[in-house]
């Protein structure tokens, strides 16, 4: 992949994800690309997209995968959409390294 689905923005890392709720399991599938060439991280959760359950499951899953507290992960945009931007707070270099490993890049 030429580019990654995240970028640093000040003290945060902004991660673009495509969430699939009501899946058979919670998992981070890996990188994906939309029809316009935009990059995202494909994530599946068992939770339903009702009352913020799928978003909360997404935050827990990403926080656990990156070894961050859940309070360090928030939805910056796209709360009601399949494609969301997560803001990750912490050491941007460490988060970027963990995302690189998670994406297999």
């Amino acid at each position: 992949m030429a580019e990654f689905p995240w970028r640093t923005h000040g003290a945060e890392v902004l991660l673009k994800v495509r969430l699939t709720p009501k899946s058979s399991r919670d998992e981070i599938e890996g990188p994906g690309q939309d029809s316009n060439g935009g990059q995202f991280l494909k994530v599946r959760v068992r939770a339903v997209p009702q009352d913020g359950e799928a978003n909360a499951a997404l935050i827990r899953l990403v926080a656990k995968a990156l070894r961050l507290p859940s309070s360090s992960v928030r939805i910056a945009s796209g709360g009601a959409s399949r494609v969301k931007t997560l803001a990750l707070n912490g050491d941007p270099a460490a988060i970027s390294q963990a995302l690189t490993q998670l994406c297999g890049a």
Side-chain angles (χ1 to χ4, degrees), residues 10-40:
E12 294 182 322
V13 174
L14 300 177
L15 172 64
K16 189 173 178 182
V17 299
R18 188 190 76 197
L19 178 63
T20 303
K22 298 191 304 184
S23 178
S24 61
R25 62 180 176 252
D26 293 339
E27 75 174 327
I28 297 175
E29 290 185 27
Q33 186 173 353
D34 64 23
S35 59
N36 296 324
Q39 305 295 320
F40 54 77

Side-chain angles (χ1 to χ4, degrees), residues 8-84:
T8 58
H9 181 72
E12 294 182 322
V13 174
L14 300 177
L15 172 64
K16 189 173 178 182
V17 299
R18 188 190 76 197
L19 178 63
T20 303
K22 298 191 304 184
S23 178
S24 61
R25 62 180 176 252
D26 293 339
E27 75 174 327
I28 297 175
E29 290 185 27
Q33 186 173 353
D34 64 23
S35 59
N36 296 324
Q39 305 295 320
F40 54 77
L41 187 64
K42 297 184 286 185
V43 180
R44 295 179 175 273
V45 295
R46 290 184 300 236
V48 296
Q50 180 179 337
D51 298 327
E53 292 178 31
N55 288 342
L58 169 66
I59 288 170
R60 285 191 304 273
L61 182 62
V62 169
K64 182 178 179 182
L66 297 176
R67 296 185 176 137
L68 293 170
S70 292
S71 61
S72 293
V73 180
R74 67 177 172 82
I75 296 178
S77 67
S81 172
R82 279 182 61 126
V83 178
K84 306 171 186 308

